[in-house]
Amino acid sequence: MSSGDGTAGGSLGRAPEESGPYPLHGSPAVGASDGADTVGYRGPTACAAAGITYRQLDYWARTGLVEPSVRPAYGSGTQRLYSFRDVVVLKIVKRFLDTGVALQNIRAAVQHLRARGFRDLERMTLMSDGATVYECSSPDEVVDLLQGGQGVFGIAVGVVWRDVEAALSQLHGERIDTGETLVGHNPGDELARRRRDRAV
């Protein structure tokens, strides 16, 4: 439940500065994406780029922690399709779990990330003391949080973003509109593949 100030009610504490950083428990909704996704990624590709197991991916989708925003699995034989942003969120969830953040707080952070504008994510740093997750959008906010004794570790979302981008560039994507497989999700590779297909 949002409290109207960008946070939500609950047991999460507040960061030292009123203007931010603040606990991630909801935020004003923003469009799901600032640009239409044209490429989706199947489960095994999302797992490889995020560094998780397929069992984790399946469990998180079934429990609603991180669901595929391009195409859910419905009926037998259908494949989940994840967006680039979904894969970034999967990798962030993995990092939080590795550092012992409670699942309830990870769930709140995921909801917050999904509500933010696409470009906001690259500039964001997520800090946590293991119990509360905070968003910091400037170096000053990170310092304020550390000085307040609340920040123990941080995740620079922009770094995760670039890691996922690099990983996916080596893996296969799928055109959302046509279902065509993109080899390495690289236009140059795609042209090379088409040339090979014509040569056969």
Side-chain angles (χ1 to χ4, degrees):
M1 294 283 289
S2 177
S3 59
D5 61 354
T7 65
S11 59
L12 294 181
R14 291 195 175 270
E17 294 296 319
E18 192 68 27
S19 61
Y22 56 89
L24 298 188
H25 240 256
S27 76
V30 179
S33 172
D34 293 341
D37 287 307
T38 58
V39 179
Y41 304 95
R42 293 190 175 199
T45 300
C47 289
I52 61 174
T53 65
Y54 195 84
R55 179 176 287 188
Q56 286 175 307
L57 182 83
D58 185 55
Y59 179 72
W60 296 349
R62 285 188 290 106
T63 58
L65 178 61
V66 185
E67 297 174 280
S69 63
V70 177
R71 185 175 67 214
Y74 51 90
S76 61
T78 60
Q79 293 270 345
R80 295 186 187 108
L81 213 55
Y82 290 82
S83 69
F84 172 80
R85 180 178 174 143
D86 293 337
V87 181
V88 171
V89 172
L90 287 168
K91 193 171 183 74
I92 289 170
V93 169
K94 170 72 160 55
R95 290 199 177 177
F96 276 138
L97 283 173
D98 288 348
T99 50
V101 176
L103 194 60
Q104 177 185 349
N105 293 322
I106 294 174
R107 196 172 289 276
V110 168
Q111 289 169 354
H112 182 85
L113 288 170
R114 288 206 173 280
R116 293 307 297 266
F118 202 76
R119 290 176 185 83
D120 291 341
L121 298 186
E122 281 190 281
R123 297 187 295 271
M124 189 186 295
T125 298
L126 300 176
M127 302 288 292
S128 180
D129 55 8
T132 306
V133 179
Y134 298 91
E135 173 191 344
C136 299
S137 55
S138 74
D140 289 342
E141 290 180 356
V142 174
V143 171
D144 288 340
L145 197 58
L146 291 170
Q147 287 177 340
Q150 288 164 289
V152 174
F153 70 91
I155 298 173
V157 178
V159 173
V160 176
W161 182 291
R162 288 186 290 277
D163 286 350
V164 169
E165 216 166 34
L168 289 176
S169 72
Q170 307 299 314
L171 299 166
H172 293 354
E174 182 176 313
R175 278 186 63 98
I176 292 168
D177 53 353
T178 64
E180 181 182 10
T181 298
L182 301 177
V183 179
H185 180 35
N186 182 313
D189 290 345
E190 176 63 4
L191 287 171
R193 185 184 71 78
R194 289 183 179 184
R195 285 193 203 102
R196 283 198 305 271
D197 289 349
R198 279 201 303 270
V200 171

